[in-house]
Amino acid sequence: MLEEIKTEEGGSVIKIPIEDEVKQAYIDYSMSVIVQRALPDVRDGLKPVHRRIMYSMDELHLASGGKTKKCATIVGDVLGHYHPHGDASVYDALVRLGQDFAQRYTTVTPQGNFGTIAGDPAAAYRYTEAKMSKITEEMVADIKKNTIDMVRNFDDTCDEPSVLPAAFPFLLCNGTTGIAVGMATNMPSHNLREVASAIAAYIDNPDIKISELMQHIKGPDFPTGGIIYGTAGIKKAYETGRGKIVIRSKFTIETDKRGRESIVFTEVPYGVNTTNIIKKINQLKDEKAIEGIVEANDETSDRVGMRLVVELKKGAITKIVLNQLFAKTELQSNFGVINLALVPQEKEGTPRYDEPGYLTLPPTYLKPEILNLKQLIAHFVKHRDEVITRRCIYDLKVAKHRMHILEALITAINNIDEVIKIIKESEDTEHAKLALAKRFNFDDEQTQAIVDMQLKRLTHLQIEDLQKEIKELQAWIDYLQDLLDHHEKILQLIKNDTNELASKYGDDRRTAIVHDEVEEINVEDMIKDEDMVVMISRLGYIKRVSVDKYKKQSRGGTGSNGTNLLEEDYINQLFIGSTKEKLLFITNIGKAYWIKIHEIPEAEKTSRGAHIKGLLQVGPDEEITTIVSLKEFRDDHYLFMTTANGVVKKVRSSEFQNAKTKGIIGIKLNDGDKLISAIGTEGNSQVMLITRRGKALRITEDAVRLMGRASCGIKGMKLSEGDEIAAAVKVEDNSNIILLTEKGYGKRISFENFSVHGRGTGGQRIFGNTDGKGEIIGALDVQDSDEVVCMTSQGKTLRFKSTDIKEQGQSASGVRIVNVKEPDYLVGIDKIQENN
């Protein structure tokens, strides 16, 4: 298809293939977007709009120590002189340069509403004001000393810089983002101190490896903080220019007076909108996509900083909620690194010095390139090398020119009488200048300085000042010439300047880096370590309740209501442990499961709790018979198991590492037998086995060999007809035993009353009248400082000090502990240790 174009005068027809015209027009447009809008120059790290804003503020004399000026004035100056685009784009760029949540190091000092991280927009530019920050002054410093190339503006009315001198490594420290045509850039910000250290290392060793540079630059450092998980993405980005970095919000766990937990996020990933996060969380809550959330609110303020509060329901499992929040909201996000920048490409030719002393470079053009970390640093150093070289040449030219004038002034002063005579005898200034030039061999500038010289220069003090200035000027000229003659000294100056910037404007790292790849959050570190009462009913309902909910009472009372149970249900297991401990459950068929105590739903005293099958994959015919707490699974830590029929077994706790919620076999039980107790030991303990009818056997753990999980065990105690094991306790130094019967009677007795016997024997009497006072249902080893909690089948609880029970002898039948009325009876007993 051809397009015909005719001239108005009726000239010849020009035929152009329209596809060629469209292709060329699109290429021209693409290059305009790439070079003039979306991508930063690798030298100063700026897009054209940012460069023009900084230059305009410098031209308007908006110094960091001066007054601010209306943003409308700045925007208008940029539009009128340098940037022929919309005012919104210029003002948005200006605002972003002043937002401390968008820029790691702000280059604009704002006055007024410049927007918030919550997404609130900035006020209109007629209301806000701004000025340069001190860092911006470092970006434009020495711009008047021919350090960079100036180009004509869009309407050819003034000059603008093609690049800024940029002593501050803007691109590395503040990063950038932009979408061009067919390409995009997304560069993270970094810590100035780390960047300065890496630049110094590169200058000292240009052959330095990227892995060595990473010892200085640990990783991105975002203005909003957060936590980077894993270094693989960082390493890939630094080595190739592309990589994915995982960032998570920083949080703490808080508990209010009602015992409800809240997740408080104090830092978020870079670039996210906190209002959108709160809206998303509440939406997920309403859609029931995340269970356990009451409400999410933004409590951020200038006084307390960022606070995104997610209030949890009572009993919600914090770990599960956290992982769902990270998976379904921007509280965890990925930063895709694309280190794309415009790199000057030199054409043929080498830099040279022209006659006036200016550095002339061969023509350049800009080309987008993906850059690794070393290349980014190298381009910055190269740019600063050129800027400082050109500055030295400019300063040297100015200094030599001043020296030229001073030498003429000194000559004139030394011959003042003759000079005055020549001037007096001349017809006018021009004749005087010609006469002076002829007599002293001065040029035009020197003769002009002499005829302009004031009479006060003839004083002795003024002559000394001129001589002093000449001396200082000569030292300055020698210094500049030395720099130009020794390139390594210019590189050292770059290093010193960058380190000085770091000392002035550097700060501590905000973004933490966890070297492990992102994984499940270790919520235990965030959870308060406190004792919980764990209860399991016969029908399988389980809950945990803080021990603080149980008030201390005296022995002999009826206790307080502990739970509302279904008809025909009753409590048959009671345990007290720390929120940070693991609970190992062993069922009547010998299968073992474990979960962490804080993963059990927390409930009120009177609530029924959750069914255990929602937490563990317990079979329909299984019943939890034994609970034991473990802080960790270790090869040097053992479980000493005891069954109702007196069988004992010792196995390493590490063998239960993989039990978790699906369960594994823990002990092989004979028909009609069930596991009663599993005690954590160190391999050299003594254990007391206690029967329901009041017999006790003290044996050493060494008498039982180490076995595997699937073994049956061996005979531990010889039992009388109809008797069975009720409890097993580890013998502790300076401890007593507390026994409790199903009818609410109990006694305290010292271990010293019992000697060690051989395994498989019948033991000694420990309780007197079990027919009248009830069979023994539980036993504890206690210190005098411990407190005891006991519970009835109907959920009534009593909390009392161990010393409330009087110590008695072997044949004593105890005293009333709990006033139990049939059909209720005691089912469980456990202790609260003082150090918990």
Side-chain angles (χ1 to χ4, degrees):
M1 180 178 179
L2 300 179
E3 180 184 18
E4 295 186 357
I5 302 176
K6 296 183 179 180
T7 64
E8 292 182 0
E9 294 80 8
S12 61
V13 176
I14 303 172
K15 295 182 178 181
I16 304 173
I18 193 168
E19 60 269 21
D20 293 346
E21 181 66 17
V22 171
K23 185 186 296 183
Q24 186 59 47
Y26 189 73
I27 290 173
D28 292 342
Y29 162 74
S30 300
M31 289 307 299
S32 174
V33 172
I34 290 169
V35 177
Q36 293 296 323
R37 294 193 192 182
L39 301 184
D41 192 306
V42 73
R43 294 169 292 179
D44 61 3
L46 300 174
K47 300 176 186 179
V49 65
H50 300 128
R51 185 179 303 114
R52 288 162 176 168
I53 288 171
M54 292 184 188
Y55 181 66
S56 174
M57 295 176 79
D58 185 46
E59 290 291 287
L60 292 170
H61 306 293
L62 298 179
S64 62
K67 293 182 179 180
T68 56
K69 186 166 284 190
K70 286 288 185 184
C71 289
T73 302
I74 302 170
V75 173
D77 188 71
V78 172
L79 291 176
H81 289 111
Y82 315 114
H83 199 68
H85 301 284
D87 60 340
S89 64
V90 176
Y91 185 51
D92 288 346
L94 173 64
V95 165
R96 187 171 176 82
L97 290 175
Q99 293 175 331
D100 58 6
F101 54 87
Q103 299 287 301
R104 184 62 179 84
Y105 301 94
T106 56
T107 49
V108 166
T109 301
Q111 180 69 41
N113 175 17
F114 263 52
T116 67
I117 194 173
D120 301 317
Y125 56 44
R126 62 182 178 273
Y127 300 119
T128 57
E129 298 182 1
K131 62 181 178 179
M132 293 189 293
S133 70
K134 291 183 178 180
I135 286 177
T136 306
E137 292 178 347
E138 304 287 353
M139 294 289 291
V140 298
D142 302 323
I143 198 170
K144 303 297 184 183
K145 294 186 175 184
N146 194 43
T147 52
I148 46 90
D149 292 332
M150 301 294 288
V151 296
R152 299 301 284 175
N153 70 338
F154 65 91
D155 62 358
D156 205 31
T157 58
C158 63
D159 290 337
E160 64 172 305
S162 60
V163 67
L164 294 185
F168 175 74
F170 186 95
L171 192 58
L172 279 163
C173 290
N174 273 339
T176 191
T177 183
I179 301 175
V181 178
M183 60 186 70
T185 183
N186 198 35
M187 303 178 69
S189 56
H190 293 89
N191 186 276
L192 174 56
R193 291 175 180 169
E194 294 181 6
V195 169
S197 178
I199 290 172
Y202 170 79
I203 291 173
D204 291 339
N205 177 22
D207 296 325
I208 191 171
K209 296 179 181 177
I210 291 176
S211 59
E212 294 172 320
L213 286 173
M214 287 184 65
Q215 295 176 9
H216 301 273
I217 299 180
K218 308 299 182 184
D221 188 22
F222 297 104
T224 55
I227 305 171
I228 293 175
Y229 277 83
T231 57
I234 298 173
K235 184 178 180 182
K236 184 178 179 182
Y238 287 169
E239 290 179 343
T240 68
R242 291 179 179 270
K244 185 182 78 171
I245 297 173
V246 180
I247 315 166
R248 273 187 174 178
S249 303
K250 189 176 291 186
F251 66 92
T252 58
I253 306 295
E254 294 183 358
T255 305
D256 62 16
K257 295 179 180 178
R258 298 174 295 173
R260 288 186 176 178
E261 290 182 345
S262 295
I263 308 170
V264 181
F265 295 94
T266 55
E267 295 177 8
V268 295
Y270 176 68
V272 304
N273 182 310
T274 56
T275 297
N276 292 341
I277 289 176
I278 295 298
K279 286 182 180 178
K280 183 65 174 179
I281 294 173
N282 285 320
Q283 178 186 342
L284 292 170
K285 177 205 71 173
D286 294 339
E287 295 172 353
K288 299 191 182 302
I290 300 181
E291 298 285 352
I293 295 177
V294 176
E295 192 175 12
N297 292 296
D298 187 350
E299 298 179 2
T300 302
S301 70
D302 291 337
R303 185 175 60 86
V304 300
M306 181 177 290
R307 275 181 63 86
L308 306 182
V309 181
V310 180
E311 185 179 349
L312 303 182
K313 292 179 180 178
K314 196 75 171 178
I317 301 174
T318 308
K319 181 175 182 177
I320 294 175
V321 175
L322 262 175
N323 288 326
Q324 288 180 319
L325 288 174
F326 287 137
K328 298 177 181 179
T329 73
E330 289 184 314
L331 289 167
Q332 175 178 313
S333 66
N334 297 330
F335 189 96
V337 178
I338 309 174
N339 290 337
L340 181 69
L342 298 172
V343 179
Q345 308 291 314
E346 294 184 2
K347 294 183 179 179
E348 293 182 2
T350 55
R352 63 179 178 83
Y353 299 104
D354 62 13
E355 292 301 326
Y358 286 92
L359 178 67
T360 302
L361 296 169
T364 62
Y365 67 95
L366 298 174
K367 176 184 176 182
E369 291 184 7
I370 297 286
L371 303 167
N372 61 36
L373 178 63
K374 184 176 179 180
Q375 290 171 324
L376 288 170
I377 293 173
H379 282 299
F380 172 77
V381 173
K382 182 180 179 181
H383 175 58
R384 288 301 297 164
D385 187 3
E386 178 187 328
V387 166
I388 292 176
T389 299
R390 293 177 68 161
R391 184 184 70 194
C392 289
I393 294 170
Y394 178 88
D395 287 340
L396 185 60
K397 178 187 175 184
V398 172
K400 286 182 176 181
H401 180 266
R402 178 60 179 165
M403 179 67 80
H404 187 58
I405 299 299
L406 288 177
E407 288 172 347
L409 290 176
I410 289 294
T411 300
I413 290 172
N414 291 336
N415 299 275
I416 191 60
D417 292 336
E418 187 177 357
V419 169
I420 291 173
K421 181 181 178 181
I422 291 173
I423 294 174
K424 285 178 66 177
E425 292 176 353
S426 299
E427 294 180 7
D428 53 28
T429 302
E430 289 302 318
H431 283 86
K433 290 169 64 178
L434 289 172
L436 289 170
K438 183 177 180 180
R439 167 65 183 86
F440 296 105
N441 198 27
F442 291 153
D443 60 23
D444 186 65
E445 286 186 335
Q446 289 176 315
T447 55
Q448 185 64 46
I450 291 170
V451 298
D452 290 341
M453 184 174 62
Q454 297 174 335
L455 289 176
K456 67 178 183 179
R457 288 292 186 101
L458 301 179
T459 64
H460 180 72
L461 186 59
Q462 288 291 325
I463 293 173
E464 286 184 352
D465 287 345
L466 288 175
Q467 292 172 339
K468 181 181 178 182
E469 185 179 354
I470 288 175
K471 185 177 180 181
E472 292 174 350
L473 202 57
Q474 186 59 53
W476 175 238
I477 290 171
D478 293 341
Y479 169 73
L480 294 172
Q481 192 62 56
D482 185 55
L483 284 178
L484 292 172
D485 293 341
H486 299 87
H487 182 248
E488 68 277 5
K489 293 187 177 181
I490 290 181
L491 293 177
Q492 187 63 36
L493 187 59
I494 297 171
K495 177 179 173 181
N496 294 340
D497 288 347
T498 310
N499 285 334
E500 185 178 349
L501 284 176
S503 64
K504 282 183 181 178
Y505 311 117
D507 54 7
D508 294 335
R509 166 174 280 279
R510 297 180 188 176
T511 302
I513 299 176
V514 177
H515 291 277
D516 296 331
E517 298 302 318
V518 64
E519 57 181 351
E520 299 291 306
I521 288 291
N522 185 14
V523 181
E524 287 82 356
D525 294 338
M526 306 292 178
I527 292 175
K528 181 181 178 182
D529 190 359
E530 59 179 331
D531 275 345
M532 291 285 173
V533 176
V534 179
M535 289 167 278
I536 304 176
S537 74
R538 183 186 67 85
L539 295 180
Y541 287 94
I542 185 171
K543 68 177 180 178
R544 65 180 170 101
V545 181
S546 173
V547 294
D548 294 336
K549 299 290 180 67
Y550 298 95
K551 296 179 180 179
K552 296 177 184 178
Q553 298 169 276
S554 300
R555 70 171 180 86
T558 58
S560 59
N561 288 330
T563 187
N564 290 327
L565 298 169
L566 294 173
E567 189 175 353
E568 298 183 357
D569 195 10
Y570 57 85
I571 299 295
N572 65 355
Q573 291 287 329
L574 171 71
F575 183 84
I576 296 176
S578 164
T579 49
K580 295 192 175 184
E581 292 178 347
K582 302 176 181 69
L583 280 191
L584 182 67
F585 300 89
I586 303 178
T587 68
N588 57 329
I589 65 172
K591 220 173 172 185
Y593 309 79
W594 67 264
I595 60 173
K596 297 169 184 177
I597 289 183
H598 72 79
E599 293 176 341
I600 299 172
E602 187 172 2
E604 296 295 333
K605 280 176 59 179
T606 55
S607 69
R608 186 179 303 124
H611 203 278
I612 198 164
K613 289 185 179 180
L615 303 175
L616 308 174
Q617 296 182 21
V618 179
D621 298 327
E622 285 186 89
E623 177 186 345
I624 304 293
T625 60
T626 305
I627 306 175
V628 60
S629 70
L630 296 168
K631 291 188 176 179
E632 55 185 330
F633 297 100
R634 304 198 320 254
D635 287 338
D636 59 349
H637 185 267
Y638 306 91
L639 289 182
F640 190 92
M641 300 180 176
T642 308
T643 73
N645 291 342
V647 174
V648 294
K649 169 184 173 179
K650 185 170 71 172
V651 60
R652 286 189 176 92
S653 66
S654 58
E655 299 225 15
F656 295 89
Q657 176 77 47
N658 298 323
K660 204 54 172 115
T661 54
K662 290 185 178 180
I664 56 177
I665 191 68
I667 184 173
K668 187 176 180 181
L669 295 170
N670 296 319
D671 290 342
D673 201 0
K674 64 180 180 179
L675 191 68
I676 294 296
S677 171
I679 304 170
T681 67
E682 287 70 46
N684 54 359
S685 304
Q686 292 184 7
V687 178
M688 181 89 81
L689 308 181
I690 301 163
T691 73
R692 293 184 64 86
R693 293 186 177 178
K695 298 292 288 292
L697 174 64
R698 179 173 177 174
I699 62 174
T700 63
E701 189 179 355
D702 295 337
V704 181
R705 61 180 174 83
L706 191 63
M707 305 178 196
R709 283 189 298 103
S711 63
C712 297
I714 57 176
K715 191 69 174 178
M717 183 175 182
K718 182 179 179 181
L719 299 175
S720 302
E721 182 72 24
D723 201 2
E724 65 180 26
I725 300 293
V729 296
K730 185 165 69 171
V731 178
E732 301 282 4
D733 294 336
N734 303 316
S735 293
N736 293 331
I737 310 172
I738 283 183
L739 307 173
L740 204 65
T741 72
E742 58 188 357
K743 292 184 178 181
Y745 288 86
K747 66 184 283 189
R748 183 161 59 97
I749 186 171
S750 173
F751 282 113
E752 295 177 356
N753 291 306
F754 303 90
S755 56
V756 176
H757 287 70
R759 176 181 59 80
T761 57
Q764 303 168 262
R765 173 61 56 184
I766 193 172
F767 197 90
N769 181 14
T770 56
D771 292 331
K773 301 295 178 68
E775 292 187 345
I776 296 171
I777 55 92
L780 293 174
D781 64 289
V782 294
Q783 304 281 345
D784 289 347
S785 57
D786 291 341
E787 294 180 356
V788 176
V789 175
C790 59
M791 178 168 287
T792 71
S793 62
Q794 296 303 310
K796 290 186 177 182
T797 58
L798 185 72
R799 175 179 175 178
F800 54 90
K801 292 193 66 175
S802 63
T803 50
D804 288 347
I805 302 177
K806 183 179 179 182
E807 187 175 337
Q808 295 181 324
Q810 286 180 254
S811 58
S813 299
V815 294
R816 171 80 66 179
I817 304 298
V818 185
N819 189 6
V820 182
K821 295 182 180 179
E822 293 185 357
D824 201 6
Y825 57 91
L826 282 181
V827 295
I829 179 174
D830 212 333
K831 64 183 176 182
I832 306 169
Q833 295 178 338
E834 184 183 40
N835 57 3
N836 285 337

